[in-house]
Amino acid sequence: MAEADATFPDTQDAASPAPTPPAPSRLRKWGRLAVMLSVPLAVLIVGVTYWLSLQGQVSTDNAYVKQDKVSVSAEISGKIVEVRGAENMQVKAGDLLFRIDPEPYQLQIQQANAAIASAQANQVALSNASALSGAEISGAQESIAFARSNLARQEALWKRGFATRAAYDAATHAVAQAEESLRLAQSKRDEAAAKLATGNQVPGMFPQEAQARAQRATAELNLRRTEVRAPIDGRLTQATRLQIGQDAIVGLPLVTIVATDSSYVEANFKETDLDKMRIGQPAEVRFDAYPELKLKAHVASIGAGTGSEFSVLPAQNATGNWVKVTQRVPVRIKLDEPSPRVLIAGLSAKVKVITDARKAQ
């Protein structure tokens, strides 16, 4: 028994099992804890990184492509007899868009030419008027001399008693009539000379002829205006209103030219974004129509008022029913590089302005 008791512990030690590994439930518990901590930490890191990336810049997606537009209208009235322009057609400055019937204005030129000829003939007739010849004045002067000589003889005879008072009075009356005839002849001469006067406005030209020439110049100008040409380079739009036979009305737009080389972006920024915005700051422009296109630009100008200030019915905040709304201010963004894609007026855009000079470098 003693030996058996002595050897029993050794047998027990040899048959004892190895240490058991940690339970799987504990591993899963630590894994879940790691996941629970890493996800919020990753979200926090991403959020902080995104927030830092937004510092030093402002952006808006309330932006649109703008292009200068010129409405073309007729300067004279008449029927359209020829149309050269078509919808979306690219034109150069000076290209013929449409033509108005020139015949009425050609007739006006002929009428003006006839008026010039009539004025010239009238000038010749006035120049040859008898009042300007001096014959009437000379005849009146001779009549005065004869009447005065006769008056002197009658006066001498009357003083000697060889003539009657009636003869003396008749001689006196004859002198007065001769002098009046001279004054009338001189007046006619002055009147005829005045009709030939040129005046200070048109020196050296007969006034009637100058008026007729002005009428012809007006008719020639109107004739040139029958050809309506493009004032700028660009693309035609709303050209469907150009139809042969349609009446062109002065001042009524008939076609619009969009200047495709003058594209810019009008971005409406919140008023809270303007604190650090300055003219000249760099910007980036993206377009909804061309997602892969990004153009460099800069701030050209900041609007003089919010959009509500220039609306047809501005808000009346003094009524008491007032809710504060963040206002939008139009900012003009000028493109610094040509676009490889065609920019169309009205396209939606996204604009980012770099307000931190360190990020712009």
Side-chain angles (χ1 to χ4, degrees):
M1 287 296 294
E3 292 178 359
D5 295 333
T7 59
F8 180 77
D10 294 336
T11 304
Q12 185 71 21
D13 293 335
S16 59
T20 59
S25 61
R26 297 184 64 183
L27 293 176
R28 288 195 299 269
K29 180 179 179 181
W30 282 105
R32 286 196 300 268
L33 181 60
V35 172
M36 292 174 62
L37 292 177
S38 62
V39 171
L41 182 61
V43 172
L44 179 61
I45 293 174
V46 172
V48 172
T49 303
Y50 178 72
W51 181 81
L52 291 175
S53 66
L54 295 179
Q55 303 307 304
Q57 66 184 35
V58 291
S59 61
T60 182
D61 58 357
N62 188 353
Y64 306 93
V65 175
K66 298 290 185 179
Q67 294 174 335
D68 295 333
K69 296 181 285 292
V70 177
S71 295
V72 180
S73 60
E75 296 181 274
I76 57 172
S77 59
K79 288 189 178 297
I80 297 177
V81 295
E82 182 182 358
V83 175
R84 295 281 185 89
E87 188 72 14
N88 296 324
M89 176 181 176
Q90 194 73 25
V91 296
K92 296 289 186 181
D95 288 350
L96 180 64
L97 301 180
F98 60 94
R99 192 190 310 272
I100 298 174
D101 185 9
E103 186 175 358
Y105 303 100
Q106 293 172 346
L107 293 177
Q108 289 181 5
I109 292 178
Q110 296 177 8
Q111 290 177 347
N113 289 333
I116 292 174
S118 176
Q120 292 173 343
N122 191 21
Q123 182 182 15
V124 173
L126 290 176
S127 300
N128 296 328
S130 60
L132 293 175
S133 64
E136 293 184 5
I137 295 178
S138 299
Q141 290 174 344
E142 291 180 0
S143 297
I144 290 174
F146 177 78
R148 286 176 178 175
S149 176
N150 184 42
L151 175 61
R153 289 195 300 270
Q154 292 297 328
E155 183 179 6
L157 292 174
W158 178 63
K159 288 180 179 179
R160 296 178 183 178
F162 295 106
T164 62
R165 178 70 183 186
Y168 175 75
D169 291 342
T172 304
H173 180 67
V175 172
Q177 282 185 328
E179 291 176 349
E180 186 63 27
S181 298
L182 177 61
R183 286 192 293 269
L184 181 60
Q186 292 173 342
S187 177
K188 289 181 179 180
R189 180 196 59 188
D190 295 340
E191 181 181 359
K195 290 180 179 179
L196 290 172
T198 58
N200 296 328
Q201 298 299 322
V202 282
M205 183 176 291
F206 188 47
Q208 292 181 5
E209 181 180 354
Q211 181 181 6
R213 289 186 180 276
Q215 292 174 351
R216 185 176 66 179
T218 302
E220 291 174 346
L221 176 61
N222 290 335
L223 180 61
R224 291 193 298 269
R225 287 175 172 173
T226 58
E227 296 183 350
V228 181
R229 300 182 178 274
I232 60 172
D233 297 347
R235 181 180 296 179
L236 287 182
T237 183
Q238 299 177 333
T240 54
R241 290 178 290 187
L242 292 179
Q243 300 294 334
I244 294 178
Q246 179 180 350
D247 285 331
I249 301 175
V250 177
L252 180 64
L254 293 173
V255 67
T256 301
I257 300 178
V258 180
T260 54
D261 58 348
S262 64
S263 300
Y264 63 93
V265 176
E266 185 175 283
N268 299 301
F269 282 92
K270 295 179 180 179
E271 56 184 326
T272 53
D273 294 335
L274 300 180
D275 182 29
K276 296 182 180 180
M277 188 179 295
R278 302 290 185 271
I279 295 176
Q281 288 175 337
E284 294 179 357
V285 180
R286 294 182 180 272
F287 305 91
D288 293 359
Y290 314 122
E292 302 299 326
L293 179 61
K294 181 177 70 174
L295 297 180
K296 295 181 180 180
H298 68 273
V299 178
S301 63
I302 299 176
T306 63
S308 62
E309 283 295 310
F310 299 103
S311 63
V312 178
L313 297 174
Q316 298 296 327
N317 296 329
T319 58
N321 299 324
W322 175 68
V323 177
K324 186 172 183 178
V325 178
T326 302
Q327 300 296 314
R328 296 271 181 170
V329 178
V331 177
R332 175 172 290 202
I333 305 298
K334 184 177 181 181
L335 302 176
D336 293 336
E337 55 183 336
S339 173
R341 304 294 298 273
V342 177
L343 296 182
I344 302 173
L347 288 180
S348 299
K350 300 181 182 67
V351 177
K352 179 174 66 175
V353 176
I354 310 300
T355 57
D356 190 346
R358 292 172 296 182
K359 288 191 174 184
Q361 297 175 354

